[in-house]
Amino acid sequence: MMGLMASEETRTETRTETTRTQARMPATPGGSEKAPEASGTRAWTPWTTRLLILGIVLAAVNLRPAITSLGALLEEVRDGLGMSGSVAGLLTSVPPLCFAVFGVTAPRLARRFGPGAVVFAGMAAITAGLVIRPYAGGTAGFLAATALALMGIAVSNVLMPVIVKRYFPDRVGSMTGLYSMALAFGTSVAAAATVPVTDALGGHWQPGLAVWAVVGAAALLPWLPFVRHREAPSAETPARSPERPAGPAAEHPPLRITRSRTAWALAVFFGLQATAAYITMGWMAQIFRDSGVSAGTAGLLLAVIMVMGVPLAFVIPRVATRLPHQGPIVVVLGLCGLAGYAGLYFAPVGGAWLWALLLGVSNCAFPLALTMVGMRARTGAGVAQLSAFAQSTGYLISIPGPLLVGVLYQHSGGWGLPIALMSALMVPQIVVGVLAGRDRTVEDEAAR
């Protein structure tokens, strides 16, 4: 896999940035200039590079279990805390709300403390929130502890594309695919294993949720060596090892990102795919359970949806970086989603495994969106701004979706209307995704 990633060539603008970076490299201690193993890691030892990759992978594994583990046990949590369907819908809307509110602060925090320190703090917040929330007592405490974990997820969400663009500029597709695979793996394992683990721990939902804090604690270790490096990577300084920080960066004014039509299209696309994803993570297991599927099988079906992202999250970004226009991928993913929702409406039990497969393919709009964030900007600073804007705006757009599903479910007494809503939202997702996939950069549009 490392050989594949090392050989990948990305778009012209990335190669331009790489050339500029190499041209500004200082000499090595031996007095001669040495080409980096991969642009953006020129002064790194192989151990440091592997440690960073391990940190990225483990951080990605922790970006969804807080959500999908709750989805698998939502009925038990609702009964235990006395939640109504509307309050449960609010609970499933908390993730995008936290991602929107806290994600926008990530670039500023990274500039002040360094991205390694921010990601480390994010993993610590995830771990603490997962430990606290099952035992917080009452719905308010549960929501507050969940928000703490989601705050850590939010800042890490935004910084992952930035770190990849900065340190692996010639491997954007492969590295995005790698951490997208890890994210999908963590998502699916939490969905599939939460119910069996809960049963093994005595059948109480509290330890079944708290156990995922162990995974968060493991992700802290690889980021420890990077905590002390306060300088955030920027597009204006050469890519560098944390052990050898570069000098002061040249000043470039921030982009007027809101003037870019591509940025807005990408933000709306991100928001609509996030709406589908959080409805799926929060409610899909319950949809299958209400159709007559057992709790364990419903968790497995949710896991199938999520595990589809493991292979496809590696393939799709690599394919996307080789296409001048990512619109065809958007259309294929959207059609799979429409077919899955139609099957879920007409034959939720008989074709459950097929619908799970189709919806799993559709959910791979997430790694595609992350890849387009890296492709729609030329510089690291542009990616940071675009990532923060697209994710924060997108998550704001996605907030009403899970809540509305809960309200429709409670007042209609069935899943017909919620499934119709999910299907309807897939159409504009395809339209804006095609617009976001056009071959252009936000720097050009924001400068007009």
Coordinates of all heavy atoms in Angstrom, one line a residue, residues 32-129:
S32 N 24.5 18.5 0.8 CA 23.8 18.4 -0.5 C 22.3 18.4 -0.3 O 21.9 18.0 0.7 CB 24.3 17.1 -1.2 OG 23.9 16.0 -0.4
E33 N 21.6 18.8 -1.4 CA 20.2 18.8 -1.3 C 19.7 17.4 -1.6 O 20.2 16.7 -2.6 CB 19.6 19.8 -2.3 CG 19.8 21.2 -1.9 CD 19.0 22.1 -2.7 OE1 18.4 21.7 -3.7 OE2 18.9 23.3 -2.4
K34 N 18.7 16.9 -0.9 CA 18.2 15.5 -1.1 C 16.7 15.6 -1.3 O 16.0 16.2 -0.6 CB 18.5 14.7 0.2 CG 18.0 13.3 0.1 CD 18.4 12.6 1.4 CE 17.9 11.1 1.4 NZ 18.2 10.4 2.6
A35 N 16.3 14.9 -2.4 CA 14.9 14.9 -2.7 C 14.1 14.1 -1.6 O 14.7 13.2 -1.1 CB 14.6 14.2 -4.0
P36 N 12.9 14.6 -1.2 CA 12.2 13.9 -0.2 C 11.7 12.6 -0.7 O 11.5 12.3 -1.8 CB 11.0 14.9 0.1 CG 10.9 15.6 -1.2 CD 12.2 15.7 -1.8
E37 N 11.4 11.7 0.3 CA 10.7 10.5 0.0 C 9.4 10.7 -0.7 O 9.0 10.1 -1.6 CB 10.5 9.6 1.3 CG 11.7 9.2 1.9 CD 11.3 8.5 3.2 OE1 10.7 7.4 3.1 OE2 11.7 8.9 4.3
A38 N 8.6 11.7 -0.1 CA 7.4 12.1 -0.7 C 7.3 13.6 -0.4 O 7.7 14.0 0.7 CB 6.2 11.4 -0.2
S39 N 6.9 14.5 -1.3 CA 6.9 15.9 -1.0 C 6.1 16.2 0.2 O 5.1 15.6 0.4 CB 6.3 16.6 -2.2 OG 7.1 16.5 -3.4
G40 N 6.6 17.1 1.0 CA 6.0 17.4 2.2 C 6.5 16.6 3.4 O 6.2 16.9 4.5
T41 N 7.5 15.7 3.2 CA 8.1 15.0 4.3 C 9.6 14.9 4.1 O 10.2 13.9 4.5 CB 7.5 13.5 4.3 OG1 7.8 12.9 3.1 CG2 6.0 13.5 4.6
R42 N 10.2 15.9 3.5 CA 11.6 15.9 3.1 C 12.6 15.6 4.2 O 13.6 15.0 4.1 CB 12.0 17.2 2.4 CG 11.8 18.4 3.3 CD 12.5 19.7 2.7 NE 12.3 20.8 3.6 CZ 13.0 21.0 4.6 NH1 14.0 20.3 4.9 NH2 12.8 22.1 5.4
A43 N 12.3 16.2 5.4 CA 13.3 16.1 6.6 C 12.9 15.0 7.5 O 13.5 14.9 8.6 CB 13.4 17.4 7.3
W44 N 11.9 14.3 7.2 CA 11.4 13.3 8.1 C 12.1 12.0 8.0 O 12.6 11.6 6.9 CB 9.9 13.0 7.7 CG 9.0 14.1 8.0 CD1 9.2 15.4 7.7 CD2 7.7 14.0 8.6 NE1 8.1 16.2 8.0 CE2 7.2 15.3 8.6 CE3 6.9 13.0 9.0 CZ2 5.9 15.6 9.1 CZ3 5.7 13.3 9.5 CH2 5.2 14.6 9.6
T45 N 12.3 11.4 9.1 CA 12.9 10.0 9.1 C 11.7 9.1 8.7 O 10.5 9.4 8.9 CB 13.4 9.6 10.5 OG1 12.2 9.6 11.4 CG2 14.4 10.6 11.0
P46 N 12.1 7.9 8.2 CA 11.0 6.9 7.9 C 10.1 6.6 9.2 O 8.9 6.4 9.0 CB 11.7 5.7 7.5 CG 13.0 6.2 6.9 CD 13.4 7.4 7.8
W47 N 10.7 6.6 10.3 CA 9.9 6.3 11.6 C 8.9 7.4 11.8 O 7.8 7.2 12.1 CB 10.9 6.2 12.7 CG 10.2 5.9 14.0 CD1 9.9 4.7 14.5 CD2 9.7 6.9 15.0 NE1 9.2 4.8 15.7 CE2 9.1 6.1 16.1 CE3 9.7 8.3 15.1 CZ2 8.5 6.7 17.2 CZ3 9.2 8.9 16.2 CH2 8.6 8.1 17.2
T48 N 9.3 8.7 11.6 CA 8.4 9.8 11.8 C 7.3 9.8 10.8 O 6.1 10.0 11.2 CB 9.2 11.2 11.7 OG1 10.3 11.2 12.5 CG2 8.3 12.3 12.0
T49 N 7.6 9.5 9.6 CA 6.5 9.4 8.6 C 5.5 8.3 8.9 O 4.3 8.5 8.8 CB 7.1 9.1 7.2 OG1 8.1 10.2 6.9 CG2 6.1 9.1 6.1
R50 N 6.0 7.1 9.3 CA 5.1 6.0 9.6 C 4.3 6.4 10.9 O 3.1 6.0 11.0 CB 5.9 4.8 9.9 CG 6.6 4.2 8.6 CD 7.2 2.8 8.9 NE 8.0 2.4 7.8 CZ 9.4 2.5 7.7 NH1 10.0 3.0 8.8 NH2 10.0 2.0 6.7
L51 N 4.9 7.1 11.8 CA 4.2 7.4 13.0 C 3.0 8.4 12.7 O 1.9 8.3 13.2 CB 5.1 8.1 14.1 CG 4.5 8.3 15.4 CD1 4.1 7.0 16.1 CD2 5.5 9.1 16.3
L52 N 3.3 9.4 11.8 CA 2.3 10.3 11.4 C 1.1 9.6 10.7 O -0.1 9.8 11.0 CB 2.8 11.4 10.5 CG 1.8 12.4 10.0 CD1 1.1 13.1 11.2 CD2 2.4 13.4 9.0
I53 N 1.5 8.6 9.8 CA 0.4 7.9 9.1 C -0.4 7.0 10.1 O -1.6 7.0 10.0 CB 1.1 7.0 8.0 CG1 1.7 7.8 6.9 CG2 0.1 6.0 7.4 CD1 2.5 7.0 5.9
L54 N 0.3 6.4 11.1 CA -0.4 5.7 12.1 C -1.3 6.6 12.9 O -2.5 6.2 13.2 CB 0.6 5.0 13.0 CG 0.0 4.2 14.2 CD1 -0.9 3.1 13.7 CD2 1.1 3.7 15.2
G55 N -0.9 7.8 13.2 CA -1.7 8.7 13.9 C -2.9 9.1 13.2 O -4.0 9.2 13.7
I56 N -2.7 9.4 11.8 CA -3.9 9.7 11.0 C -4.9 8.6 11.0 O -6.1 8.8 11.1 CB -3.4 10.1 9.6 CG1 -2.6 11.4 9.6 CG2 -4.5 10.1 8.6 CD1 -1.9 11.7 8.3
V57 N -4.4 7.4 10.8 CA -5.3 6.2 10.7 C -6.1 6.0 12.0 O -7.3 5.8 12.0 CB -4.5 4.9 10.4 CG1 -5.3 3.7 10.6 CG2 -4.0 5.0 8.9
L58 N -5.4 6.1 13.2 CA -6.0 5.8 14.4 C -7.0 7.0 14.8 O -8.1 6.8 15.4 CB -5.0 5.7 15.6 CG -4.2 4.4 15.6 CD1 -3.2 4.3 16.7 CD2 -5.2 3.2 15.6
A59 N -6.6 8.2 14.4 CA -7.6 9.3 14.6 C -8.8 9.1 13.8 O -9.9 9.3 14.3 CB -6.9 10.6 14.2
A60 N -8.7 8.7 12.5 CA -9.8 8.4 11.7 C -10.7 7.3 12.2 O -11.9 7.4 12.1 CB -9.3 8.1 10.2
V61 N -10.1 6.3 12.8 CA -10.9 5.2 13.3 C -11.9 5.7 14.4 O -13.0 5.2 14.6 CB -10.0 4.1 13.9 CG1 -10.8 3.1 14.8 CG2 -9.3 3.4 12.8
N62 N -11.5 6.8 15.1 CA -12.2 7.3 16.2 C -13.3 8.4 15.8 O -13.9 9.0 16.7 CB -11.3 7.9 17.3 CG -10.7 6.9 18.2 OD1 -11.3 6.4 19.1 ND2 -9.5 6.4 17.8
L63 N -13.4 8.7 14.6 CA -14.2 9.8 14.1 C -15.7 9.5 14.0 O -16.5 10.4 13.8 CB -13.7 10.4 12.8 CG -12.4 11.0 12.8 CD1 -12.0 11.6 11.5 CD2 -12.3 12.1 13.9
R64 N -16.1 8.2 14.2 CA -17.5 7.9 14.1 C -18.1 6.9 15.2 O -19.3 6.9 15.3 CB -17.9 7.3 12.7 CG -17.7 8.3 11.6 CD -18.6 9.5 11.7 NE -18.4 10.4 10.6 CZ -17.6 11.5 10.6 NH1 -16.8 11.7 11.7 NH2 -17.5 12.3 9.6
P65 N -17.3 6.1 15.9 CA -17.9 5.2 16.9 C -18.8 5.8 17.9 O -19.7 5.2 18.4 CB -16.6 4.5 17.5 CG -15.6 4.5 16.4 CD -15.8 5.8 15.7
A66 N -18.5 7.1 18.3 CA -19.3 7.8 19.2 C -20.8 7.9 18.7 O -21.7 8.0 19.5 CB -18.8 9.2 19.5
I67 N -20.9 7.9 17.4 CA -22.2 8.1 16.8 C -22.9 6.7 16.5 O -24.0 6.5 16.8 CB -22.1 8.9 15.5 CG1 -21.4 10.3 15.8 CG2 -23.5 9.1 14.8 CD1 -21.0 11.0 14.6
T68 N -22.1 5.8 15.8 CA -22.8 4.6 15.4 C -23.0 3.6 16.6 O -23.9 2.8 16.5 CB -21.9 3.9 14.3 OG1 -20.6 3.8 14.8 CG2 -21.9 4.7 13.0
S69 N -22.2 3.7 17.6 CA -22.4 2.9 18.8 C -23.7 3.3 19.4 O -24.5 2.5 19.9 CB -21.3 3.0 19.8 OG -21.1 4.3 20.2
L70 N -24.0 4.6 19.4 CA -25.3 5.1 20.0 C -26.4 4.7 19.1 O -27.5 4.3 19.6 CB -25.2 6.6 20.1 CG -26.5 7.3 20.5 CD1 -26.9 6.8 21.9 CD2 -26.3 8.8 20.6
G71 N -26.3 4.7 17.8 CA -27.3 4.3 16.9 C -27.7 2.8 17.1 O -28.9 2.5 17.0
A72 N -26.8 2.0 17.4 CA -27.1 0.5 17.6 C -27.9 0.3 18.9 O -28.6 -0.7 19.0 CB -25.8 -0.3 17.6
L73 N -27.7 1.2 19.9 CA -28.4 1.1 21.1 C -29.4 2.2 21.4 O -29.7 2.4 22.6 CB -27.3 1.0 22.3 CG -26.4 -0.2 22.3 CD1 -25.3 0.0 23.4 CD2 -27.1 -1.5 22.5
L74 N -29.8 2.8 20.3 CA -30.7 4.0 20.5 C -32.0 3.6 21.3 O -32.4 4.4 22.2 CB -31.0 4.6 19.2 CG -31.8 5.9 19.2 CD1 -31.1 7.0 20.0 CD2 -32.1 6.4 17.8
E75 N -32.6 2.5 21.0 CA -33.8 2.1 21.6 C -33.6 1.9 23.1 O -34.4 2.4 24.0 CB -34.3 0.8 21.0 CG -35.7 0.4 21.6 CD -36.3 -0.7 20.8 OE1 -36.4 -0.7 19.6 OE2 -36.7 -1.7 21.5
E76 N -32.5 1.3 23.5 CA -32.2 1.0 24.9 C -31.8 2.4 25.6 O -32.2 2.6 26.8 CB -31.0 0.1 25.0 CG -31.3 -1.4 24.7 CD -31.4 -1.6 23.2 OE1 -31.0 -0.7 22.4 OE2 -31.8 -2.7 22.8
V77 N -31.1 3.3 25.0 CA -30.8 4.6 25.6 C -32.1 5.4 25.7 O -32.3 6.0 26.8 CB -29.8 5.3 24.7 CG1 -29.6 6.7 25.2 CG2 -28.5 4.6 24.7
R78 N -33.0 5.3 24.7 CA -34.2 6.1 24.9 C -35.1 5.5 26.0 O -35.6 6.3 26.8 CB -35.1 5.9 23.6 CG -34.5 6.7 22.4 CD -35.3 6.4 21.1 NE -36.8 6.7 21.3 CZ -37.7 6.4 20.4 NH1 -37.4 5.7 19.3 NH2 -38.9 6.6 20.6
D79 N -35.1 4.2 26.2 CA -35.9 3.7 27.3 C -35.2 4.0 28.6 O -35.9 4.3 29.6 CB -36.0 2.1 27.1 CG -36.9 1.8 26.0 OD1 -37.6 2.6 25.5 OD2 -36.8 0.6 25.5
G80 N -33.9 3.9 28.7 CA -33.2 4.1 29.9 C -33.2 5.6 30.4 O -33.3 5.8 31.6
L81 N -33.2 6.5 29.5 CA -33.3 7.9 29.8 C -34.7 8.5 29.7 O -34.8 9.7 30.0 CB -32.3 8.7 28.9 CG -30.8 8.3 29.1 CD1 -29.9 9.1 28.1 CD2 -30.3 8.5 30.5
G82 N -35.6 7.8 29.2 CA -37.0 8.3 29.0 C -37.1 9.3 27.9 O -37.9 10.3 28.1
M83 N -36.5 9.1 26.8 CA -36.5 10.0 25.7 C -37.7 9.8 24.8 O -38.1 8.6 24.5 CB -35.3 9.9 24.8 CG -34.0 10.4 25.4 SD -32.7 10.2 24.1 CE -31.3 10.6 25.1
S84 N -38.3 10.9 24.3 CA -39.4 10.8 23.3 C -38.7 10.6 21.9 O -37.5 10.8 21.8 CB -40.3 12.0 23.3 OG -39.5 13.2 22.9
G85 N -39.5 10.4 20.9 CA -38.9 10.3 19.5 C -38.3 11.6 19.1 O -37.3 11.6 18.4
S86 N -39.0 12.7 19.5 CA -38.4 14.0 19.1 C -37.1 14.3 19.8 O -36.2 14.9 19.1 CB -39.5 15.1 19.4 OG -40.7 14.9 18.7
V87 N -37.0 14.0 21.0 CA -35.7 14.2 21.7 C -34.6 13.3 21.2 O -33.5 13.8 21.0 CB -35.9 14.0 23.3 CG1 -34.6 14.0 24.0 CG2 -36.9 15.0 23.9
A88 N -35.0 12.1 20.8 CA -34.0 11.2 20.2 C -33.6 11.8 18.8 O -32.4 11.7 18.4 CB -34.6 9.8 20.0
G89 N -34.5 12.4 18.1 CA -34.2 13.1 16.9 C -33.2 14.2 17.1 O -32.3 14.4 16.3
L90 N -33.4 15.0 18.2 CA -32.5 16.0 18.6 C -31.1 15.4 18.9 O -30.1 16.0 18.5 CB -33.0 16.8 19.8 CG -32.1 17.8 20.4 CD1 -31.9 19.0 19.4 CD2 -32.7 18.4 21.7
L91 N -31.1 14.3 19.6 CA -29.8 13.6 19.9 C -29.1 13.3 18.6 O -27.9 13.5 18.5 CB -30.1 12.4 20.7 CG -28.9 11.6 21.2 CD1 -28.0 12.5 22.0 CD2 -29.3 10.4 21.9
T92 N -29.8 12.8 17.6 CA -29.1 12.4 16.4 C -28.7 13.7 15.5 O -27.9 13.6 14.6 CB -30.0 11.5 15.5 OG1 -31.2 12.2 15.2 CG2 -30.3 10.2 16.2
S93 N -29.2 14.9 15.9 CA -28.8 16.1 15.2 C -27.6 16.8 15.9 O -27.1 17.7 15.4 CB -30.0 17.1 15.2 OG -31.0 16.6 14.3
V94 N -27.3 16.3 17.1 CA -26.2 16.9 17.9 C -24.9 16.8 17.1 O -24.1 17.7 17.1 CB -26.1 16.3 19.3 CG1 -24.7 16.7 20.0 CG2 -27.2 16.7 20.1
P95 N -24.5 15.6 16.5 CA -23.2 15.6 15.8 C -23.0 16.6 14.7 O -22.0 17.4 14.8 CB -23.3 14.2 15.1 CG -24.1 13.4 16.0 CD -25.2 14.3 16.5
P96 N -23.9 16.8 13.8 CA -23.6 17.9 12.8 C -23.6 19.3 13.4 O -22.9 20.2 13.0 CB -24.8 17.8 11.8 CG -25.8 17.0 12.4 CD -25.1 16.1 13.4
L97 N -24.4 19.5 14.5 CA -24.4 20.8 15.2 C -23.0 21.1 15.8 O -22.4 22.2 15.6 CB -25.5 20.9 16.3 CG -25.5 22.1 17.1 CD1 -25.7 23.4 16.3 CD2 -26.5 22.0 18.3
C98 N -22.5 20.1 16.5 CA -21.1 20.2 17.1 C -20.1 20.4 16.0 O -19.1 21.2 16.1 CB -20.8 19.1 18.0 SG -21.8 19.0 19.5
F99 N -20.2 19.6 14.9 CA -19.2 19.7 13.8 C -19.2 21.1 13.2 O -18.2 21.6 12.9 CB -19.5 18.7 12.8 CG -19.3 17.2 13.2 CD1 -19.7 16.2 12.5 CD2 -18.7 17.0 14.4 CE1 -19.6 14.9 12.9 CE2 -18.5 15.7 14.9 CZ -19.0 14.6 14.1
A100 N -20.4 21.7 13.1 CA -20.5 23.0 12.5 C -19.9 24.1 13.4 O -19.2 25.0 13.0 CB -21.9 23.4 12.1
V101 N -20.3 24.0 14.7 CA -19.9 25.0 15.7 C -18.4 24.9 16.0 O -17.7 26.0 16.0 CB -20.7 24.9 17.0 CG1 -20.2 25.8 18.0 CG2 -22.2 25.2 16.7
F102 N -17.9 23.7 16.2 CA -16.5 23.6 16.7 C -15.5 23.4 15.5 O -14.3 23.8 15.6 CB -16.4 22.4 17.6 CG -17.1 22.6 18.9 CD1 -18.2 21.8 19.2 CD2 -16.8 23.6 19.8 CE1 -18.9 22.0 20.4 CE2 -17.5 23.8 21.0 CZ -18.6 23.0 21.3
G103 N -16.0 22.9 14.4 CA -15.1 22.6 13.2 C -14.5 23.9 12.7 O -13.4 23.9 12.2
V104 N -15.3 25.0 12.7 CA -14.8 26.2 12.1 C -13.6 26.8 12.9 O -12.9 27.6 12.4 CB -16.0 27.3 12.0 CG1 -16.3 27.8 13.4 CG2 -15.7 28.4 11.1
T105 N -13.5 26.4 14.2 CA -12.4 26.9 15.0 C -11.1 26.1 14.8 O -10.0 26.6 15.2 CB -12.7 26.8 16.5 OG1 -12.8 25.4 16.9 CG2 -14.0 27.4 16.8
A106 N -11.1 25.0 14.0 CA -9.9 24.2 13.9 C -8.8 24.9 13.2 O -7.6 24.8 13.8 CB -10.3 22.9 13.2
P107 N -8.9 25.6 12.1 CA -7.8 26.2 11.5 C -7.1 27.3 12.5 O -5.9 27.4 12.5 CB -8.3 26.9 10.3 CG -9.5 26.1 9.9 CD -10.1 25.7 11.2
R108 N -7.9 28.0 13.2 CA -7.3 29.0 14.1 C -6.6 28.3 15.2 O -5.5 28.7 15.6 CB -8.5 29.9 14.7 CG -8.0 31.0 15.6 CD -9.1 31.9 16.1 NE -9.9 32.4 14.9 CZ -11.0 33.1 15.1 NH1 -11.6 33.3 16.3 NH2 -11.7 33.6 14.0
L109 N -7.2 27.3 15.8 CA -6.5 26.5 16.8 C -5.2 25.9 16.3 O -4.2 25.9 17.0 CB -7.4 25.4 17.4 CG -8.6 25.9 18.2 CD1 -9.5 24.7 18.5 CD2 -8.2 26.6 19.5
A110 N -5.2 25.4 15.1 CA -4.0 24.8 14.5 C -2.9 25.8 14.3 O -1.7 25.5 14.5 CB -4.3 24.1 13.2
R111 N -3.3 27.1 13.9 CA -2.3 28.1 13.8 C -1.6 28.5 15.1 O -0.5 28.8 15.2 CB -2.9 29.3 13.1 CG -3.2 29.2 11.6 CD -3.5 30.5 11.0 NE -4.7 31.2 11.5 CZ -5.9 31.0 11.1 NH1 -6.1 30.2 10.0 NH2 -6.9 31.6 11.6
R112 N -2.4 28.4 16.1 CA -1.9 28.9 17.4 C -1.1 27.8 18.2 O -0.1 28.0 18.7 CB -3.1 29.3 18.3 CG -2.6 29.8 19.7 CD -3.8 30.4 20.5 NE -3.3 30.9 21.8 CZ -4.1 31.5 22.7 NH1 -5.4 31.7 22.4 NH2 -3.6 31.9 23.8
F113 N -1.7 26.5 18.1 CA -1.1 25.5 18.9 C -0.3 24.4 18.1 O 0.4 23.6 18.7 CB -2.1 24.8 19.8 CG -2.8 25.7 20.7 CD1 -4.1 26.1 20.5 CD2 -2.2 26.2 21.9 CE1 -4.8 27.0 21.4 CE2 -2.8 27.0 22.8 CZ -4.2 27.4 22.5
G114 N -0.6 24.4 16.8 CA 0.0 23.4 16.0 C -1.1 22.3 15.7 O -1.8 21.9 16.7
P115 N -1.1 21.7 14.6 CA -2.2 20.7 14.3 C -2.0 19.5 15.1 O -3.0 18.8 15.4 CB -2.0 20.4 12.8 CG -0.6 20.8 12.5 CD -0.3 22.0 13.4
G116 N -0.8 19.0 15.4 CA -0.6 17.8 16.2 C -1.2 18.0 17.6 O -1.9 17.1 18.1
A117 N -1.0 19.2 18.2 CA -1.6 19.4 19.5 C -3.1 19.4 19.5 O -3.8 18.9 20.4 CB -1.1 20.7 20.1
V118 N -3.7 20.0 18.4 CA -5.1 20.1 18.3 C -5.7 18.7 18.1 O -6.8 18.3 18.7 CB -5.5 21.0 17.2 CG1 -7.0 21.1 17.0 CG2 -5.0 22.4 17.5
V119 N -5.1 17.9 17.3 CA -5.6 16.5 17.1 C -5.5 15.7 18.3 O -6.4 14.9 18.7 CB -4.9 15.8 15.9 CG1 -5.4 14.4 15.8 CG2 -5.2 16.6 14.6
F120 N -4.4 15.8 19.0 CA -4.2 15.2 20.3 C -5.3 15.6 21.3 O -5.9 14.7 22.0 CB -2.8 15.5 20.9 CG -2.6 14.8 22.2 CD1 -2.1 13.5 22.3 CD2 -2.9 15.5 23.4 CE1 -1.8 12.9 23.5 CE2 -2.6 14.9 24.7 CZ -2.1 13.6 24.7
A121 N -5.6 16.9 21.4 CA -6.7 17.3 22.3 C -8.0 16.8 21.8 O -8.9 16.5 22.6 CB -6.7 18.8 22.3
G122 N -8.2 16.7 20.5 CA -9.4 16.1 20.0 C -9.6 14.7 20.4 O -10.7 14.3 20.8
M123 N -8.6 13.9 20.3 CA -8.7 12.5 20.7 C -8.9 12.4 22.2 O -9.7 11.5 22.7 CB -7.4 11.7 20.4 CG -7.1 11.6 18.9 SD -8.4 10.7 18.0 CE -9.1 12.1 17.1
A124 N -8.3 13.3 23.0 CA -8.6 13.3 24.5 C -10.0 13.6 24.8 O -10.6 13.0 25.7 CB -7.6 14.3 25.2
A125 N -10.6 14.6 24.0 CA -12.0 15.0 24.2 C -12.9 13.8 23.9 O -13.9 13.6 24.6 CB -12.3 16.2 23.4
I126 N -12.6 13.1 22.8 CA -13.4 11.9 22.4 C -13.4 10.9 23.5 O -14.4 10.4 23.9 CB -12.9 11.3 21.1 CG1 -13.1 12.3 19.9 CG2 -13.6 10.0 20.8 CD1 -12.4 11.9 18.7
T127 N -12.2 10.6 24.0 CA -12.1 9.6 25.1 C -12.8 10.0 26.3 O -13.6 9.1 26.9 CB -10.6 9.4 25.4 OG1 -9.8 9.0 24.2 CG2 -10.4 8.3 26.4
A128 N -12.7 11.2 26.7 CA -13.3 11.7 28.0 C -14.9 11.6 27.8 O -15.6 11.2 28.7 CB -12.9 13.1 28.3
G129 N -15.3 12.1 26.6 CA -16.8 12.1 26.4 C -17.4 10.8 26.4 O -18.5 10.5 27.0

